[in-house]
Amino acid sequence: MRVPASERARWALLGVALILGVTLIATTWASHRGTVRAASQLTRSQGEALLTSIRAELRSLGDVADGDDLEVILDRHRDARYLALFEPRDEVILAAAGDRVTTGPLPRLGPTDRGWSKSGDYCLLVASAGGSGPEARPPGRHPRPFGDRRAERDTGPPREPGARSPRDDRRRPAPRGPWLAIEYEASTARGLLQQTAGTLAVATASAVLLMVAGLLFWQQARAREQAQRRLEQQERLSTLGEMSAVLAHEIRNPLASLKGHAQLLAERINGDHPEARKVRWIVDEATRLEKLTTDLLGFVRSGALSRELIDPVVLVEELCDELDRDRIRVLAEHAPAVWSLDRARIRQVLSNLLRNAIQVSPAHGVVDVTIDVDRGTPGLELRFVVRDRGSGLPVGKEREIFEPFFTTRTRGTGLGLAVAQRIVELHHGTLSGRNHPGGGAELEVRIPQG
């Protein structure tokens, strides 16, 4: 089936909007991840610069540095918040300045003789102090240990020369001299991350708005196309209706006269007369044309409905008696007791559907009529489902069967289903057709409660 150019353009525009939105998000996310990695490197570089500077200042002080010296050094470095010299073996603080923000144990040294840990915007760097500070602790009781150790502890007697502590087997040998712990604020990296986070948020919001705008435009364009189709169809039907009404009225009276005289002639001619077959043919064709004019008038008829509360099961049972009860099976276990319908017009719809189903089914095929209420919709809907045992609907033409003058039978008028659909639409309902998985076709009438 050929897709209209407007529909192709609509889908193309939606696809472009989605692709642009996804591309924008992916590109901005990749840029954000790159910025995060750069910020991490910048934070480490900032720590390395602080370490180099502080080491140089410690070396300028000689071999001894106390808390006052560290306070002076801390004041000279705006980003540094905490400095500490501690004995590497037991992590006991020898001198400290500032307040530590990060928590937990000290980071262990890595392959580059550096240890790093990060908590929020603050980074803790541990490295060798480069030989500055006291070489060893005097025996006895000493200040608070680093981390969660007790505030004071007894170091006990010194170990024999060459003796190994169990901890020595679990970590690499400590460097000579004290360790230096530097806690600093990664302000530059934080600003960079805030900027890229803002860019990511703006880009994501823009991409989402672009995709939503594309979707809304697609829906609006689709709604306009559907409205345009309905308007064009209504105009065609209106023109066809006016023309059909004029033709039906002009043809009906002379046709009735022709049919009446042909019937009188058929009654007078003996069945063995050589012209008797021709006379019967005239009567049959006049009857067919009379039905066509009746269908045309029914198609253009759009008067107000005469609704009343009727039992839909009783209505179908009456049609079964009129058509062929042996070939119609009614399934009405979940049918409502009454429903507001125009009895005459719904009877015309169901009669047309049942007649068609019987005609397309095999000689002894049974037609099923299901009557129930659909409670899954926002409002209750009465359903009539007529299933035949024929060859099914033409594939791809499930909607065309309701167009005026569309028929697959050689002697059909093509107006039966069009008239039925028009009547159902006057009830604010829908008439649809589909092929049944078990064979044959089924036509469904839905009429909302009204």
Side-chain angles (χ1 to χ4, degrees), residues 230-241:
R230 287 194 296 268
L231 180 61
E232 292 175 355
Q233 183 180 17
Q234 290 175 359
E235 291 177 353
R236 289 196 301 268
L237 293 179
S238 177
T239 303
L240 178 62

Side-chain angles (χ1 to χ4, degrees), residues 37 71 182 225 318 376 433 448:
R37 290 191 293 269
E71 286 286 354
I182 306 173
E225 289 178 7
E318 292 175 358

Side-chain angles (χ1 to χ4, degrees), residues 163-390:
R164 292 174 58 86
S165 169
R167 185 163 32 186
D168 295 336
D169 297 329
R170 296 196 301 269
R171 67 181 186 182
R172 55 187 296 164
R176 295 184 60 188
W179 278 3
L180 175 61
I182 306 173
E183 184 180 78
Y184 59 94
E185 184 178 5
S187 56
T188 305
R190 178 181 59 191
L192 187 62
L193 290 176
Q194 289 176 349
Q195 182 179 1
T196 188
T199 303
L200 178 62
V202 171
T204 302
S206 300
V208 171
L209 288 176
L210 177 62
M211 291 187 287
V212 170
L215 182 60
L216 291 177
F217 179 83
W218 179 86
Q219 291 178 339
Q220 291 177 356
R222 183 185 179 204
R224 284 197 299 269
E225 289 178 7
Q226 292 177 344
Q228 184 65 27
R229 291 196 196 102
R230 287 194 296 268
L231 180 61
E232 292 175 355
Q233 183 180 17
Q234 290 175 359
E235 291 177 353
R236 289 196 301 268
L237 293 179
S238 177
T239 303
L240 178 62
E242 294 176 1
M243 181 184 66
S244 300
V246 172
L247 290 176
H249 282 294
E250 293 296 329
I251 294 174
R252 201 169 191 180
N253 291 334
L255 183 62
S257 177
L258 174 64
K259 178 184 175 183
H261 286 85
Q263 287 174 335
L264 292 175
L265 183 61
E267 291 175 359
R268 295 180 181 180
I269 295 180
N270 192 337
D272 297 333
H273 194 278
E275 302 298 331
R277 184 177 62 84
K278 296 180 181 180
V279 174
R280 286 195 300 272
W281 179 81
I282 295 174
V283 173
D284 293 340
E285 291 301 313
T287 303
R288 188 172 71 86
L289 289 176
E290 186 180 41
K291 183 179 183 306
L292 175 60
T293 57
T294 302
D295 289 343
L296 283 173
L297 291 175
F299 177 72
V300 299
R301 180 185 176 191
S302 58
L305 297 178
S306 178
R307 284 179 176 261
E308 58 180 310
L309 292 177
I310 64 173
D311 187 341
V313 179
V314 172
L315 181 62
V316 173
E317 293 289 348
E318 292 175 358
L319 289 172
C320 292
D321 294 333
E322 177 183 326
L323 299 175
D324 190 343
R325 173 166 290 278
D326 294 336
R327 297 193 58 186
I328 301 175
R329 178 171 55 192
V330 181
L331 306 174
E333 292 82 359
H334 304 288
V338 293
W339 205 266
S340 176
L341 301 169
D342 186 317
R343 174 186 290 272
R345 295 196 181 186
I346 290 299
R347 180 185 176 89
Q348 181 181 356
V349 171
L350 296 176
S351 175
N352 184 280
L353 298 184
L354 289 173
R355 288 180 188 277
N356 289 346
I358 292 174
Q359 291 175 1
V360 300
S361 297
H364 300 288
V366 177
V367 173
D368 291 335
V369 183
T370 303
I371 310 171
D372 60 18
V373 175
D374 186 358
R375 303 180 184 274
T377 55
L380 299 181
E381 289 184 334
L382 173 64
R383 290 198 324 146
F384 295 99
V385 182
V386 179
R387 181 197 171 188
D388 60 51
R389 295 298 191 280

